[in-house]
Amino acid sequence: MRGVSIFGATGSIGESGFDLLMRAGGPDAFRTVALSGGRNIARLAEMARALRAEIAVTAYDDALPDLRDALAGSGVQVAAGGAALIEAASRPADWTLSAIVGAAGLPPGLAALERGGTLALANKESLVCAAPLVKAAARRGGATILPVDSEHSAIFQSLGSDNIENVEAVTITASGGAFRDWPLEQLALATVEQASTHPNWAMGQRITIDSASMFNKAMEVIEAHEFFDLPPRRIKVLVHPESIVHAMVTHNDGGTIAHLGPPDMRHAIGYALNWPDRRPLPLPLLDLAKIGSLTFREPCETRWPALALARGVMAAGGAAGAVFNAAKEQALDDFIARRLKFTEMAGRVAHALDRLSGQPGFGESPSSLSDVLDWDAAARKEAACPI
Ligand code: NAD
Ligand code: MG
């Protein structure tokens, strides 16, 4: 029986992964090793019971007594905190879904890679912050990394066995998020509630706001650069309000292969679960006649300054990705806490990059997890709102 783990099981991606495992036979088809969550203890316990997990881990030490109570008599082990997440990720499993949000997903992801097996990577922050460490851990563990971001899964599927050398350009699409058509002068007034609604995708709050600001797309451009070893000039972004075409691969012979699908992450997760096979998934099939038209346009960089910041990050290399992500996480925290306007987030990130780019070692890729965490902490400090 295949051993599986989900880190961030109680989130949007985690729930979709859980749904797929349950539909595919649940505990009769999979040996669930570890499930992790945050403060939604009731849901984590319910999932752990349903899949008969070996261990359930909450990220928060103070939530351990509740988790212990919720799983009393179930036979599921319980644990809490960062070290427990790493221990759980080190347990032998064949397939691990990395679905924690933020840089917090990096340490368990690295542990899973060192151990080997397949890492289905939704946590794009891991590649943005620490691609060389992620790749080195995968090499050491003999692990396979599969993308679980709709665009990157789409590129992966469109590429097939084609040689990346023959790829002229990769285009990833962006819905444009909540404020795609807002007058520019109104963006400064955008509220957290308005930014937390997405026209097409149901996702966690943080990535939904990142979609409105296009920080999500900026992260994805860097993710594509790292995942596929593509030079930045070959990665393009198009606004595609219908969210049906997820990515396109243009070859040097003029042919472009696009990947289309309904906006439902269970496709990318299920593809990574079944790879290299394909199996039926509980998704509606596309009805293009019903959709009628698919439209595309260039993104406006005044509306979405995060895209230009991503290009700067790729050009700088070294610690820029870790700084960019952490500064973005801090700015997002401050926006959610209403300490910052929507339009001020990009400025905070640019400020952190600017301040830290002069520091010794900035141009070198972080060589260890603690190196990444140091840059992360420094970036959060620089990006934080002056109180
Ligand atoms: P979410 O907020 O819905 O869920 C996040 C999960 O991580 C929860 O289980 C939460 O308890 C856990 N978590 C949060 N903070 C944590 C911490 N500090 N330590 C340990 N665990 C913590 O997020 P999501 O929308 O499912 O996104 C998860 C990841 O997948 C992100 O990296 C996101 O960019 C990526 N992703 C999401 C989607 C989507 O459709 N939601 C699509 C593509 C990629
Ligand atoms: Mg995506």
Side-chain angles (χ1 to χ4, degrees), residues 316 319-320 323 350-363 375 382:
V323 169
H351 169 79
L353 280 164
D354 192 42
R355 292 276 299 195
L356 293 175
S357 61
Q359 298 277 319
F362 182 83
W375 284 111
E382 289 297 345

Side-chain angles (χ1 to χ4, degrees), residues 13-336:
I13 292 285
E15 283 282 2
S16 292
F18 173 78
D19 177 64
L20 290 175
L21 293 181
M22 291 304 287
R23 285 171 191 261
D28 300 325
F30 300 96
R31 178 179 62 83
T32 299
V33 179
L35 296 180
S36 92
R39 298 217 171 266
N40 192 348
I41 296 301
R43 184 60 183 146
L44 177 60
E46 195 176 21
M47 292 169 135
R49 281 180 191 270
L51 280 170
R52 289 188 226 124
E54 193 177 300
I55 185 167
V57 186
T58 164
Y60 305 104
D61 290 326
D62 60 350
L64 183 59
D66 286 348
L67 184 60
R68 189 171 287 130
D69 285 352
L71 284 169
S74 66
V76 179
Q77 298 166 41
V78 293
L85 282 171
I86 292 174
E87 190 280 324
S90 308
R91 296 186 179 203
D94 303 293
W95 189 85
T96 301
L97 180 56
S98 168
I100 289 174
V101 65
L106 177 62
L110 287 175
L113 289 167
E114 297 277 0
R115 172 217 60 200
T118 297
L119 187 72
L121 187 64
N123 181 264
K124 63 193 85 184
E125 295 88 347
S126 294
L127 280 177
V128 173
C129 296
L133 296 183
V134 166
K135 291 175 190 178
R139 266 195 307 277
R140 279 194 299 272
T144 302
I145 308 177
L146 295 175
V148 177
D149 208 336
S150 55
E151 301 76 6
H152 305 73
S153 178
I155 298 169
F156 189 83
Q157 295 183 52
S158 299
L159 268 176
S161 56
D162 287 342
N163 191 340
I164 195 87
E165 303 295 314
N166 297 330
V167 171
E168 192 58 38
V170 155
T171 304
I172 61 179
T173 61
S175 68
F179 308 137
R180 182 181 62 215
D181 301 315
W182 274 37
L184 281 179
E185 59 279 8
Q186 280 184 23
L187 288 181
L189 304 173
T191 65
V192 173
E193 291 70 28
Q194 288 165 329
S196 303
T197 55
H198 197 284
N200 305 332
W201 295 87
M203 308 187 286
Q205 185 192 32
R206 298 182 73 86
I207 185 175
T208 302
I209 299 174
D210 282 351
S211 296
S213 62
M214 283 242 192
F215 266 110
N216 181 51
K217 210 50 53 181
M219 299 274 291
E220 289 181 356
V221 168
I222 303 170
E223 183 187 8
H225 166 60
E226 297 292 358
F227 195 99
F228 299 102
D229 284 324
L230 276 165
R233 67 176 187 290
R234 300 218 165 146
I235 307 169
K236 310 208 179 304
V237 175
L238 281 181
V239 176
H240 169 46
E242 295 83 10
S243 295
I244 296 295
V245 175
H246 303 306
M248 296 174 252
V249 174
T250 299
H251 292 86
N252 51 12
D253 60 6
T256 292
I257 299 179
H259 179 272
L260 287 73
D264 187 322
M265 284 307 294
R266 288 178 304 174
H267 173 74
I269 302 166
Y271 178 81
L273 180 63
N274 297 322
W275 182 87
D277 295 333
R278 285 192 187 262
R279 304 232 168 92
L281 293 171
L283 299 178
L285 299 181
L286 266 191
D287 182 346
L288 284 176
K290 208 161 157 193
I291 294 164
S293 61
L294 300 175
T295 59
F296 303 90
R297 60 189 198 234
E298 295 280 351
C300 161
E301 297 212 351
T302 312
R303 183 179 297 274
W304 293 300
L307 295 174
L309 288 174
R311 277 199 302 278
V313 167
M314 291 185 289
V323 169
F324 175 73
N325 176 67
K328 187 274 291 178
E329 289 193 31
Q330 180 65 53
L332 182 55
D333 285 345
D334 288 336
F335 173 63
I336 292 173

